[in-house]
Every structure is written in structure tokens, then in C-alpha cells.
Amino acid sequence: MFSYRHAYHAGNHADVLKHTALIAIIQYMIQKEVGISVVDTHAGAGIYRLDSDAAELSKEADEGLRLLLKNAGEKKVELGELLGEYVQELERFNPSGALKVYPGSPMIAQDYLRRHDKLKIFELHPTDSRVLEKHVEQLRAGRQINCYKEDGFEGLKKLLPPPTRRGLVLIDPSYEMKSDYARVVNCIQDSLRRFVTGTYMVWYPVIARPEAHDLPKRLRALAQEVHKPWLHTTLRVKSGQMGSQLGVLGTNKGPKRPGLSASGLFIINPPHTLEPQLKGCLPQMVELMGQDALAGFTLEASK
Ligand code: SAM
């Protein structure tokens, strides 16, 4: 426990997929005047330096965001609307023009929220929770944000349903422990009982372990049980490294391990606009971050 640090992974292809979808969902939800609550059950440290020792060691951003930007420039690819918005958001965090920092999910979410929206974020890691709190303090957002150094799966229970009955829950565990897969399923089941109309976005690594393989199936069954729409997407940038969880969850210990090659998002109650938006940007993600012939995406949604 606690060997996972998102600093090693910030800006990788999985972040590109997850944060692009996050922006799309929040942008849709804030079109209505009524306030929303965003809950991030596994928030990370909030902001990551891309020139830190961790980032330099893993070089995961080189196979994610940096590769996307490099190829877009070299191939003179005009980014579609959603991917373009994601890149502009990163530029807002890097006003000097050089790509120095990568904003994590709580910072991206907060940047889109209006004054009357709420952000509730959980982080358990002793160091990352302190760093997160500091970043949150600097936002001077007052009571808009609540930071909890608690277990996000458990803490979520007290926040559902949100007062306005409009909310997004991002569940983005490190899957450092195998039990995280079952906890995600139990958490979604419990959350749907409390707040069936909420939007839930679960990230997971596409790796060759039965729990990861079964997770989207189990989430789909839960959505179907309560007759709610769902969307499932995966992005693969390269072949290989299917067998080992260690390759996915590179830590600060040991030699550099090959990075994750694919990841997925399962979303319950997605905005109806999300599927066409992802259809528009997934091919570009593959074109710009794909490394070999196995690069590709899947996208399926309830009818
Ligand atoms: N959501 C972040 C983003 O997109 O920028 C990345 C989060 S990272 C994948 C997962 C984080 O969850 C890690 O920082 C880890 O310390 C934290 N964590 C692990 N177990 C947790 C738990 N039970 N409750 C809250 N945080 C947890």
C-alpha cells in the first residue's frame, strides 16, 4: 500500500483519455444553471511537475501527452474540438508556453466549475494528500472545495445524493491492491442505491488479470440492473505488457518498468453528447499516440 504515486504517470496516455472525458462531462453538466457536485474519490497530488525525478524516470508523458503534441505539430494535425479543448486546458496551467506541469483530475475539474458548484476530493497517501491540500489552498476557492484525507470509497457514502441532485463521481484508484476491483464494484452498487441519476466515471487498466477483464462487465450489469445508460471505451497505444500488474503500476522502487499499454473508462449515466464527442477524438488519440499496429480504441454504449 502507498507505493503508487501518480507523479510517475502524470500526462501518460491514460491521463489523456481520462481527463479529456472528464472535461467533456463537466462542460456538459455546467450548461444548466443548477449547481453540480464533483466527487473525486482518488484525487492524487493535484499538480505534477513534468521535470520531476519521478516523471523523468518513468518518461510516461513522453508516450502520452508529449507524443500527442509532437505528432500533432509534425503531422500538422488540427485537433478536433474536444481534444483541442483538453490541450488548451493544459496550456492554461502552463502560461509560459513550455509544458512544465500537468494538472490532475481535481485541478482540471475545479477549473471548469462555477462558484456555486462543489468539489469534494479524497486522497489517502500521506505525502500526496499534503501536497494536494497545498495546491487546493492556493486556489483560494474557500468552501467550494472539501479535501478529505480519507478512504474515498467509504467517504463517498456520506456525500450522496448531493444537495442539488446533480453530480459526477470520478473513481480512479491505483489498483495497487487487487481488492480495489471489487471495491469499485461495491462502491458503484452502493452509490446507485443512494443516487441513481448520478454520473459515474470509473477508470481501469486494461491488463491481463481476471479482475480487470471482468470489471467493465460487472459495471455494465449494475447499470443494466437499474436501467441506466452506460458507455465503455478503451484506448490502446501499443502491444505487449499484458501480463503483469507491476508494469502498470510503476512505483518509486526498482528499475524502470514498461508502461501501461491500454486503459479503459466505464461511465454510467453519461451525457448523450459524450459518445459522438469520443467518436470524434479517439481516432486522433490513436493516430497521435499509437506506437504500433495494435494501437486502437473501442467504444460501445447502451442503446
Ligand atoms: N485521479 C487522479 C488524476 O486523474 O489526476 C489520479 C489518481 S491516482 C490514479 C490514485 C490515487 O488514489 C493515488 O494518489 C493513491 O494514493 C490514492 N488512493 C489509493 N487508495 C485510496 C483510497 N482508498 N482512498 C483515497 N485515495 C486513495
Side-chain angles (χ1 to χ4, degrees):
M1 176 97 185
F2 290 143
S3 60
Y4 180 97
R5 310 291 300 276
H6 198 65
Y8 287 83
H9 310 282
N12 67 4
H13 58 85
D15 267 3
V16 175
L17 174 67
K18 175 182 40 177
H19 295 151
T20 301
L22 179 67
I23 290 172
I25 295 173
I26 296 180
Q27 277 193 320
Y28 176 85
M29 292 182 81
I30 59 173
Q31 284 173 18
K32 276 194 192 152
E33 181 51 26
V34 183
I36 65 168
S37 294
V38 175
V39 184
D40 193 343
T41 59
H42 296 70
I47 293 194
Y48 308 91
R49 287 204 62 92
L50 289 171
D51 58 1
S52 68
D53 289 349
E56 297 281 0
L57 183 74
S58 75
K59 299 207 181 303
E60 288 199 20
D62 291 1
E63 295 191 356
L65 175 63
R66 282 210 182 98
L67 189 59
L68 182 136
L69 295 175
K70 177 174 161 279
N71 282 337
E74 284 176 8
K75 297 180 181 179
K76 298 201 186 335
V77 173
E78 196 179 320
L79 298 179
E81 203 176 322
L82 178 56
L83 206 47
E85 173 62 33
Y86 164 73
V87 170
Q88 278 174 26
E89 171 65 352
L90 301 182
E91 286 168 357
R92 288 192 276 276
F93 280 87
N94 290 282
S96 74
L99 192 59
K100 293 208 159 134
V101 300
Y102 189 85
S105 52
M107 295 295 142
I108 293 176
Q110 197 274 338
D111 201 41
Y112 284 89
L113 295 185
R114 305 153 301 177
R115 276 168 173 265
H116 60 290
D117 297 318
K118 302 283 182 211
L119 179 61
K120 317 275 184 190
I121 55 187
F122 294 86
E123 174 54 49
L124 258 188
H125 192 286
T127 309
D128 282 356
S129 59
R130 268 198 305 276
V131 177
L132 178 64
E133 257 172 31
K134 278 202 183 127
H135 288 310
V136 166
E137 264 167 42
Q138 283 165 6
L139 293 172
R140 298 189 188 290
R143 290 165 61 180
Q144 183 190 42
I145 311 182
N146 290 104
C147 232
Y148 307 94
K149 191 184 166 196
E150 291 174 29
D151 181 318
F153 292 121
E154 277 304 309
L156 175 62
K157 293 179 182 169
K158 65 183 171 213
L159 301 176
L160 299 181
T164 61
R165 303 291 196 272
R166 300 192 65 230
L168 163 66
V169 178
L170 168 62
I171 303 179
D172 181 23
S174 51
Y175 299 95
E176 196 180 348
M177 287 175 300
K178 193 167 89 171
S179 54
D180 272 352
Y181 294 95
R183 293 196 79 193
V184 168
V185 173
N186 293 339
C187 176
I188 289 288
Q189 188 168 35
D190 179 76
S191 301
L192 286 171
R193 275 192 211 118
R194 293 170 197 270
F195 180 38
V196 75
T197 54
T199 297
Y200 299 90
M201 172 158 119
V202 174
W203 179 89
Y204 72 96
V206 175
I207 50 172
R209 69 175 311 154
E211 295 84 358
H213 184 257
D214 288 348
L215 184 63
K217 291 185 191 158
R218 297 177 73 187
L219 295 175
R220 187 175 59 199
L222 290 177
Q224 284 170 341
E225 241 169 57
V226 293
H227 308 289
K228 291 297 175 194
W230 54 268
L231 180 152
H232 178 211
T233 186
T234 63
L235 173 69
R236 167 170 297 285
V237 298
K238 61 183 176 185
S239 57
Q241 241 306 310
M242 297 283 291
S244 157
Q245 188 193 23
L246 292 177
V248 175
L249 303 174
T251 68
N252 49 354
K253 296 186 190 92
K256 179 176 171 350
R257 300 177 178 120
L260 181 66
S261 49
S263 71
L265 294 174
F266 195 94
I267 301 159
I268 299 177
N269 292 319
H272 67 92
T273 43
L274 187 62
E275 189 183 5
Q277 281 180 304
L278 288 177
K279 239 179 216 160
C281 73
L282 284 163
Q284 279 199 326
M285 289 186 189
V286 173
E287 181 190 352
L288 299 172
M289 293 187 290
Q291 295 179 35
D292 60 32
L294 278 195
F297 71 88
T298 63
L299 178 62
E300 52 170 349
S302 53
K303 296 290 165 251

